[in-house]
């Protein structure tokens, strides 16, 4: 059985997953920095939205290069594991792993070939960055405690919540879905227009 036909993840696949996971991690970090710079006030809660816009191409490339169950789960869990190991937001590990696993299941059900299936998979996958945001919006006390443990003063904490309203969570999740659709479609377009023609996938 050839590597391409094998349904199990092999060493060469892990190398590809590692590369795409690193690129994904970098783009998520860039999204966070851009949101903070572009939107007045402490606007970290909107970083998953921009991340969904930026990472669609990486997701589609990875799904095409390693169309095997577990690949999406690994890539999507990287960020949650990072939060967990850093001690910054341990609760981020749960939505990170769950959303990545569900996205993997969806892509697997469509055999990693259906454009609609991969788009739906990417929408679900995009929620893997919302762990810290969920804590910020729905577990305020633990978030404040975490900030204090990290040495943040009262002024900083007040500024964090100055831009948070009762409707922020709904707005963020709706925008995240819209951004994931746009980012996913853009990623698929890039795949067809550039990467397939170049023989990369």
């Amino acid at each position: 059985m050839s590597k391409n036909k094998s349904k199990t993840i092999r060493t060469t696949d892990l190398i590809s997953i590692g590369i795409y996971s690193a690129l994904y991690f970098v783009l998520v970090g860039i999204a966070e920095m851009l949101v903070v710079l572009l939107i007045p006030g402490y606007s970290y809660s909107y970083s998953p939205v921009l991340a969904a816009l930026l990472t669609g191409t990486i997701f589609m490339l990875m799904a095409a290069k390693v169309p095997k169950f577990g690949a999406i789960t690994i890539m999507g869990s990287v960020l949650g594991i990072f939060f967990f190991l850093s001690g910054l937001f341990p609760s981020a590990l749960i939505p990170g792993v769950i959303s990545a696993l569900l996205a993997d299941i969806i892509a697997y059900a469509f055999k990693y070939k259906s454009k609609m299936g991969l788009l739906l998979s990417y929408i679900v996958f995009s929620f893997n960055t919302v762990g810290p945001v969920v804590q910020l919006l729905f577990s305020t006390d633990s978030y404040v405690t975490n900030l204090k443990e990290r040495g943040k003063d009262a002024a900083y904490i007040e500024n964090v919540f100055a831009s948070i309203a009762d409707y922020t969570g709904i707005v963020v999740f709706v925008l995240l879905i819209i951004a994931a659709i746009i980012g996913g479609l853009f990623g698929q377009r890039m795949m067809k227009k550039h990467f397939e023609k170049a023989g990369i996938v």
Side-chain angles (χ1 to χ4, degrees), residues 141-154 157:
D141 292 340
S142 64
Y143 196 95
V144 170
T145 299
N146 186 278
L147 290 177
K148 289 180 178 179
E149 290 175 350
R150 291 162 51 204
K152 304 301 182 181
D153 58 25
I157 295 175

Side-chain angles (χ1 to χ4, degrees), residues 170-190:
I170 296 176
V171 172
V172 168
F173 291 140
V174 171
L175 290 178
L176 176 57
I177 293 173
I178 295 173
I181 293 173
I182 296 172
L185 290 174
F186 177 77
Q188 291 179 341
R189 179 177 176 80
M190 290 293 290

Side-chain angles (χ1 to χ4, degrees), residues 28-195:
V28 171
I30 291 174
E32 180 182 345
M33 289 188 292
L34 287 176
V35 167
V36 173
L37 290 173
L38 296 175
I39 302 179
Y42 188 90
S43 49
Y44 177 82
S45 55
Y46 291 95
S47 62
V49 177
L50 186 54
L53 280 174
L54 297 180
T55 59
T57 301
I58 297 299
F59 177 89
M60 296 301 169
L61 269 173
M62 214 278 298
K65 292 290 287 184
V66 192
K68 299 177 181 180
F69 187 79
I72 293 175
T73 301
I74 293 172
M75 187 173 80
S77 300
V78 168
L79 204 61
I81 293 172
F82 168 77
F83 285 130
F84 180 77
L85 294 178
S86 66
L88 187 58
F89 300 109
S91 61
L93 177 63
I94 298 174
V97 173
I98 291 177
S99 61
L101 178 59
L102 289 176
D104 217 349
I105 292 172
I106 293 171
Y108 178 81
F110 287 93
K111 302 184 184 301
Y112 299 93
K113 294 181 179 180
S114 166
K115 289 186 176 180
M116 185 60 66
L118 286 173
L119 180 60
L120 178 59
S121 176
Y122 179 63
I123 293 171
V124 174
F125 176 85
S126 295
F127 279 85
N128 83 309
T129 58
V130 304
V133 177
V134 169
Q135 186 177 19
L136 170 64
L137 299 176
F138 304 108
S139 185
T140 304
D141 292 340
S142 64
Y143 196 95
V144 170
T145 299
N146 186 278
L147 290 177
K148 289 180 178 179
E149 290 175 350
R150 291 162 51 204
K152 304 301 182 181
D153 58 25
Y156 179 91
I157 295 175
E158 183 179 354
N159 186 49
V160 167
F161 291 94
S163 60
I164 303 298
D166 293 337
Y167 55 81
T168 299
I170 296 176
V171 172
V172 168
F173 291 140
V174 171
L175 290 178
L176 176 57
I177 293 173
I178 295 173
I181 293 173
I182 296 172
L185 290 174
F186 177 77
Q188 291 179 341
R189 179 177 176 80
M190 290 293 290
M191 289 280 292
K192 182 177 181 180
K193 189 174 182 180
H194 298 289
F195 298 111

